[in-house]
Amino acid sequence: MLPRLLPRWPHALAPVLWLFLVLTGPAAAQLNLRVGSGGAFQPMPIAVADFAGDPSLAPLVSGIVANNLKRSGYFVPIDRARFPETPNFDAAPNFAAWKEAGAQGLVTGRVTRDASGGVKAEFRLWDVLSGQQMIGQQYAGGSGNSRRMGHLISDAVYTKITGIGGFFDTRVAFVDESGSKERRRKRLAIMDQDGANVRYLTSGEAAVVAPRYSPATQDITYMSQTTGQQPRVQVINLETGAREVIPTHAEMSTSPRFSPDGRRIVMSDQDGGNASIYVMDLASKAQTRITNANAIDTSPSFSPDGREIVFESDRGGQQQIYVMGADGSNPRRISFGDGSASQPAWSPRGDYIAFTRQRRGSFAICIMKPDGSGERVLTEGFHNEGPTWAPNGQYVMFFRDPGGQAGGKLYMVDVTGRVEQPVPTPSYASDPTWSPLLDAQR
């Protein structure tokens, strides 16, 4: 399979070829990690051995794998000081010794460079308890792909053990914020999900708000506002760098978000004191109004099958969350309880809707089922906002602003609420939006 990358992106990666290695026969391995919201949970001890091969690339790749697995919250890489051996990649490891060191899983690997500069990364995942290999794969590409090979290996290990799709081979777009609170510069930026390879997509002359990644294409939509002017919805293509202002007849357009196929944008258009939700076909620019209440309807988000839209509205007196058909039919309120609810985002798996709940001076990142049942707080504090889903539907990223002269920082939390991790950015950051897996983009 040849994952589609961003061939015209600055500092572009060459294509990576994903090959399967038949290194041993398939094994009925015992290694499995069940992740759920109930009962006690302990992260799995796993060893990521020092990869063999090229001395400049091998430590980079194995380090990325160990860091990714640790950041997921579901694994605890054991300290290198406890490694009982430097395993030979072409031979079975000493399982008894690794078991004694506390490892349940073991990742071994090798990274080599050929005469033309091409790089090959190979890995094996071993079940230490059963003494069996669980999976073996290799990846090949240009030298600029080394970091991405580490992410692909991480995804393969994570998925094999947890049974959940990967999320490491992704990017995050966000609003980079710098300067004083009164004169803050807000630029659109993009980076790998672990904070590496930061690129700035706008200069900061116009403030950027609420970027949203397309689930299917290499596009990001966002709001851009120049001082003294109304904000405008724009789309930037990450492959070509082309930008387009989305034409509307409204006083102000906000909260743009792509449909699952990337061919439409749903957004909120404000005229007078009300705001209604519209769907625009990106090819024809034809707009269809789908709400028409005496209210502020905003923050729409498609269900992953494209059949429904979740949105927030004050039609009941305060901001709450509603679900309707993609044509605006059968709107019904799904959020209840204490406080207001806003900023809904439908999970790529379709099983949950993430949102922000404000109550008694606190802001919580919550999830609930699409019918409004099973509401659960993932994290709560002074000011948490802007939930966005990882493509596997297992993690939610958001930003937290402590107030005062400081600014926001990005965090991610899993759907159980047990795992919360900071996401590194160069400066203050807000409004994250998670890309699909890079090889899923069309």
Side-chain angles (χ1 to χ4, degrees), residues 31-33 35 41-48 65-78 105 125 154 157-162 168 395 419 421:
L31 197 62
N32 180 266
L33 182 66
V35 180
F41 171 78
Q42 292 293 330
M44 176 179 289
I46 193 168
V48 181
V65 174
N67 182 58
N68 280 340
L69 295 178
K70 180 179 180 180
R71 288 181 63 248
S72 77
Y74 298 163
F75 299 91
V76 178
I78 69 172
L125 170 62
S154 304
V157 171
Y158 175 94
T159 298
K160 187 65 178 178
I161 295 177
T162 67
F168 300 114
Y395 298 85
V419 175
Q421 301 282 7

Side-chain angles (χ1 to χ4, degrees), residues 25 53-55 66 90 144 149 164 221 224-225 228 265 276 328 347 365 384 401:
D54 187 283
D90 293 316
M149 292 177 188
I164 302 169
T221 183
S224 178
Q225 183 174 20
I265 283 180
S276 300
S347 165
I365 301 298
N384 302 303
D401 193 332

Side-chain angles (χ1 to χ4, degrees), residues 105-128:
L106 170 64
V107 181
T108 62
R110 178 167 58 200
V111 182
T112 54
R113 195 196 308 255
D114 62 29
S116 64
V119 173
K120 181 173 69 174
E122 309 164 83
F123 85 95
R124 300 175 191 252
L125 170 62
W126 300 93
D127 180 345
V128 172

Side-chain angles (χ1 to χ4, degrees), residues 143-188:
S143 59
N145 279 309
S146 300
R147 292 198 89 261
R148 187 176 173 198
M149 292 177 188
H151 293 318
L152 290 167
I153 293 171
S154 304
D155 277 336
V157 171
Y158 175 94
T159 298
K160 187 65 178 178
I161 295 177
T162 67
I164 302 169
F167 69 100
F168 300 114
D169 186 31
T170 59
R171 294 192 176 103
V172 174
F174 63 100
V175 177
D176 175 88
E177 301 189 12
S178 59
S180 67
K181 197 82 168 184
E182 295 75 19
R183 299 178 59 86
R184 188 145 292 175
R185 182 173 65 164
K186 296 186 176 184
R187 294 182 290 175
L188 179 62

Side-chain angles (χ1 to χ4, degrees), residues 1 15 84 87 93 333 346:
M1 179 172 69
R333 179 175 166 179
W346 214 309

Side-chain angles (χ1 to χ4, degrees), residues 238-378:
L238 298 178
E239 183 177 14
T240 66
R243 302 163 193 257
E244 179 182 14
V245 177
I246 301 300
T248 67
H249 302 294
E251 295 175 3
M252 183 170 61
S253 298
T254 61
S255 306
R257 196 184 291 261
F258 286 97
S259 62
D261 60 8
R263 297 176 181 177
R264 294 169 293 162
I265 283 180
V266 61
M267 57 188 171
S268 179
D269 281 0
Q270 181 173 337
D271 285 304
N274 296 328
S276 300
I277 294 175
Y278 289 75
V279 175
M280 173 182 283
D281 180 86
L282 287 172
S284 68
K285 300 300 186 290
Q287 280 189 258
T288 303
R289 184 175 184 170
I290 60 173
T291 68
N292 192 18
N294 185 24
I296 297 176
D297 298 336
T298 187
S299 299
S301 173
F302 276 98
S303 62
D305 62 8
R307 296 177 180 178
E308 294 183 296
I309 291 174
V310 62
F311 65 103
E312 66 174 89
S313 175
D314 67 352
R315 61 184 65 190
Q318 68 174 165
Q319 292 299 112
Q320 296 293 342
I321 295 176
Y322 294 75
V323 169
M324 62 182 172
D327 59 357
S329 60
N330 189 29
R332 64 270 187 200
R333 179 175 166 179
I334 63 169
S335 67
F336 297 91
D338 189 17
S340 63
S342 60
Q343 301 177 324
W346 214 309
S347 165
R349 293 196 304 221
D351 52 351
Y352 289 113
I353 292 169
F355 63 99
T356 301
R357 180 172 288 286
Q358 184 179 359
R359 55 190 173 191
R360 300 186 296 274
S362 179
F363 290 78
I365 301 298
C366 302
I367 59 173
M368 62 181 167
K369 295 179 181 179
D371 63 2
S373 65
E375 180 175 329
R376 189 162 72 246
V377 174
L378 301 185

